[in-house]
Amino acid sequence: MPARASIRDVAALAGISVSTVSNLLNGRPNRMRSDTVLRIEEAIERLGYKPNRSARSLKTGFTPAIGLLVPSVANPFHGAMAHAVEVAAQARGFQIVLGNTLRDPARERQCAGDFFAFGVRGVIATSSPFDLEHFKDLIGRGLSVVALDMVNSNADAKLAMDSVSMDNYRAGYLATQHLIDLGHRRIGYVSGATPTMSRRDRLNGYKAALLAAKIKPDPVLIAAGESASGYDDIHAAEHGRSATLSLLTLPDPPSALVALNDMHAVGACAAVREIGCTVPNHVSVVGIDDINLAALLYPPLTTVRHPVKPLSDAAVDLLVKRIEGQERGPSRQIVFEPTLVVRGSTAPCAKTKANLGKSQLTRSAVNVWGNSRA
């Protein structure tokens, strides 16, 4: 066995041509017999062959990497998603190139274009925008794109873009229904300042659950938080805090809250403590996503679990098949069901005014709220 195996050594051991080995290494196995693929893989493993990726990229223009576009890994959910996508990609022989786009279509287009110029032929986009037209030119030039955490709409079907998502409508519905089952009727919604498809669906699920219980959704109870930046993926907890304080200062405040995501829920719990009340004795709080911190909070956060691993596996699998030419059909949509995880941040409803009256909203607490909005 040579000190460093070459592609010719692999071909000789497998009893096939160098070009056949090259086709497999460059993601073109679709016309090979399965026993041929197996012989190549066994030869590679036996020889410990490691392809020269730099030379291969220069020769073919193809880089065995996947571009991952996230709003910001400063949000723990996107960090967890990035990790799951990386693990799934590495299991398929691909590395991850990361771009933080702040949900800006121009930044997404720029990052994806830069990846494509370096030989990356597939991108996973997780920002959940309403319009995916900014990828149209790159897709036309051969870039494969999978939209993660959103369902590709009929209007975007012409883009040949697969989508993988949790049912965000169902997530909003489950969170709200849980509070209704506990006897809550005045339920607030802590929204985000940045509109996206997944956020719209969660809000619609919240409204649908209320209507199913014959509770008319009250626009006054839907609050979007504010922060100095106005961008709530980085400052999600602060947005949740300011939105919750605005709800708790209402003449008739809610007895329970559904938060857009777990980081907004963290801020909501902080706001409840800030006015001298407790979760869930005075206000119940439900999040969405089930980030790692959710079970470690006090009280532990009731939330709707986002199936991050199966969702990431499916997105990477679809993208690799597109890159390697194994999937050539029309756009596919895969939707996973969320799961309610009940912990300590929710409890049966007591009378709202008895638990959270104006007497408990001290002048200092209101002043703190005012300062947070300044």
Side-chain angles (χ1 to χ4, degrees):
M1 185 181 298
R4 181 181 177 88
S6 69
I7 190 172
R8 294 183 182 279
D9 298 319
V10 174
L13 183 59
I16 54 177
S17 68
V18 171
S19 62
T20 301
V21 178
S22 179
N23 283 336
L24 179 63
L25 294 176
N26 289 315
R28 298 188 295 270
N30 46 307
R31 294 187 178 181
M32 295 183 192
R33 290 167 44 181
S34 58
D35 61 324
T36 300
V37 173
L38 181 61
R39 291 208 312 274
I40 296 173
E41 291 176 342
E42 289 176 344
I44 289 173
E45 183 176 359
R46 181 176 172 184
L47 293 171
Y49 172 68
K50 301 291 184 183
N52 187 326
R53 296 190 183 277
S54 298
R56 190 170 80 181
S57 296
L58 288 172
K59 182 178 180 180
T60 66
F62 170 78
T63 300
I66 290 172
L68 177 61
L69 305 178
V70 300
S72 173
V73 291
N75 184 320
F77 171 74
H78 297 306
M81 182 73 77
H83 173 71
V85 169
E86 182 178 39
V87 170
Q90 288 178 341
R92 292 161 176 81
F94 285 74
Q95 296 299 319
I96 287 295
V97 185
L98 181 67
N100 290 270
T101 65
L102 306 182
R103 299 190 190 273
D104 180 352
R107 289 175 66 108
E108 285 192 343
R109 170 66 176 77
Q110 182 65 50
C111 284
D114 290 344
F115 294 162
F116 189 73
F118 282 104
V120 174
R121 293 296 174 260
V123 166
I124 294 175
T126 70
S127 66
S128 188
F130 289 107
D131 189 342
L132 298 167
E133 285 292 315
H134 52 287
F135 291 119
K136 184 175 182 179
D137 176 61
L138 288 168
I139 291 173
R141 290 162 56 192
L143 181 70
S144 296
V145 179
V146 171
L148 190 59
D149 199 29
M150 66 168 288
V151 177
N152 191 7
S153 67
N154 292 332
D156 295 316
K158 61 183 180 296
L159 295 177
M161 181 186 297
D162 298 310
S163 63
V164 180
S165 178
M166 175 181 76
D167 187 339
N168 285 289
Y169 175 93
R170 181 65 177 162
Y173 193 102
L174 283 174
T176 311
Q177 184 60 54
H178 170 63
L179 295 172
I180 293 171
D181 290 343
L182 290 173
H184 295 277
R185 291 298 179 268
R186 192 155 176 81
I187 301 171
Y189 189 85
V190 179
S191 181
T194 308
T196 66
M197 188 176 293
S198 61
R199 294 178 174 196
R200 177 202 64 189
D201 291 345
R202 292 180 186 187
L203 177 58
N204 286 341
Y206 155 82
K207 292 177 180 178
L210 292 176
L211 289 172
K214 296 182 170 49
I215 303 170
K216 184 179 179 180
D218 186 349
V220 173
L221 293 180
I222 300 173
E226 300 176 10
S227 76
S229 73
Y231 179 69
D232 63 341
D233 279 290
I234 294 176
H235 302 284
E238 175 57 27
H239 276 254
R241 172 182 166 274
S242 64
T244 299
L245 286 170
S246 70
L247 292 174
L248 298 183
T249 56
L250 292 171
D252 186 12
S255 64
L257 300 169
V258 174
L260 164 71
N261 57 39
D262 286 351
M263 288 307 295
H264 281 75
V266 168
C269 292
V272 173
R273 292 193 300 271
E274 192 170 304
I275 64 169
C277 296
T278 60
V279 174
N281 295 328
H282 299 96
V283 182
S284 289
V285 178
V286 182
I288 297 176
D289 284 339
D290 196 22
I291 61 175
N292 290 336
L293 293 173
L296 303 178
L297 298 174
Y298 183 78
L301 184 65
T302 294
T303 185
V304 178
R305 179 170 294 159
H306 207 130
V308 172
K309 185 181 185 306
L311 190 146
S312 301
D313 287 343
V316 171
D317 186 59
L318 273 175
L319 189 61
V320 170
K321 285 179 178 178
R322 292 289 186 188
I323 294 171
E324 295 181 345
Q326 300 176 46
E327 185 75 46
R328 299 182 182 274
S331 300
R332 294 184 58 191
Q333 298 179 4
I334 300 176
V335 180
F336 289 88
E337 285 295 308
T339 306
L340 177 69
V341 180
V342 179
R343 297 193 179 104
S345 66
T346 52
C349 178
K351 289 184 178 180
T352 303
K353 289 185 178 179
N355 285 335
L356 191 61
K358 287 185 178 180
S359 61
Q360 291 175 300
L361 293 174
T362 65
R363 182 173 300 277
S364 60
V366 175
N367 286 338
V368 169
W369 170 64
N371 291 335
S372 74
R373 295 170 60 91

